[in-house]
Amino acid sequence: MARLGTDARIRLDANEAWSPGTAIRVARALRPYDLEFIEQPVSGRNLDEMAYVRGRSDIPLLANEASWTRHDQLAVIRAGAADAISADNQADGGLLNLKRSAGLCEAAGLPVVKHSLGELGVALAAATHLIAATPNFRHASQAYGALLSDDVTAGFGGPTGNYHHGHLAVPAGHGLGVQLDEEKVAHYAELYAKEGKDFSFTDDRHTSWPALPKA
């Protein structure tokens, strides 16, 4: 923190890995560092555990794996299991449902953070417009620009050179306000046709097992 300064906000994502006891011990140990959130410290399928940890943590909890859909978010709210909700339009039927999630959370007094599953500039531009027009996005939302070396939109989205002090400006212009680079679209469409499986979240070694549900 001495190097980052007092304005930096740090989040810690446990990805459901901890037991309630571990989560509480970690939260207490990290109290001096003024973390913004601990994201999903325990299983998202056990809201009682999440509520138990929240009641014993001085660091706010951000629900993620527990809050993929609006129905999940409502359950988190009812259980008092989080201080903020991570919502994802790709996981719950699109941008309109993301806005509905924000309204649901606002009614419950909880801020909402947009989660990212790796969208490119076009989808990011659409989400940026939505976030700018929705008052309950009071914390930084996720985007994949830091992980991209290129994008199909000109001057927007990835890579990190298109960000200014960690922020993206709301695109101005017709439609979504971004311009497609047609050569890059053609290049990556061809690459995906040839090597699409290498870019997938699924693993054929696992999804081919008869005991597991198929994606």
Side-chain angles (χ1 to χ4, degrees), residues 32 41-42 52 73 80 82 114 123 126 162 165 192:
V42 297
Y52 179 83
Q73 293 152 19
K114 182 194 174 300
N162 293 327
H165 302 291
Y192 185 81

Side-chain angles (χ1 to χ4, degrees), residues 65-81:
E65 284 82 0
S67 59
W68 286 125
T69 71
R70 286 155 292 136
H71 309 289
D72 298 331
Q73 293 152 19
L74 184 58
V76 170
I77 291 167
R78 285 172 169 165

Side-chain angles (χ1 to χ4, degrees), residues 84-162:
I85 298 289
S86 176
D88 195 311
N89 50 289
Q90 294 185 64
D92 193 26
L95 290 168
L96 181 56
N97 283 344
L98 178 60
K99 194 167 183 68
R100 288 173 174 143
S101 290
L104 181 71
C105 294
E106 184 178 26
L110 299 182
V112 66
V113 170
K114 182 194 174 300
H115 178 263
S116 178
L117 283 172
E119 70 269 57
L120 296 178
V122 176
L124 180 59
T128 302
H129 282 287
L130 183 146
I131 290 168
T134 308
N136 205 33
F137 287 92
R138 301 198 300 271
H139 297 268
S141 289
Q142 295 180 1
Y144 262 57
L147 302 179
L148 298 177
S149 60
D150 201 3
D151 207 335
V152 296
T153 46
F156 182 85
T160 53
N162 293 327

Side-chain angles (χ1 to χ4, degrees), residues 16 20 40 42-52 66 79 81:
E16 306 181 275
Q40 202 61 61
V42 297
S43 172
R45 293 169 294 282
N46 194 326
L47 299 184
D48 289 339
E49 283 189 354
M50 289 177 60
Y52 179 83

Side-chain angles (χ1 to χ4, degrees), residues 140-201:
S141 289
Q142 295 180 1
Y144 262 57
L147 302 179
L148 298 177
S149 60
D150 201 3
D151 207 335
V152 296
T153 46
F156 182 85
T160 53
N162 293 327
Y163 289 73
H164 303 283
H165 302 291
H167 295 80
L168 277 174
V170 178
H174 300 295
L176 295 178
V178 293
Q179 183 176 354
L180 281 177
D181 186 316
E182 295 185 8
E183 290 185 0
K184 289 183 179 180
V185 171
H187 168 70
Y188 289 116
E190 181 181 357
L191 182 62
Y192 185 81
K194 293 179 179 177
E195 305 176 22
K197 287 188 176 182
D198 295 337
F199 298 92
S200 174
F201 282 107

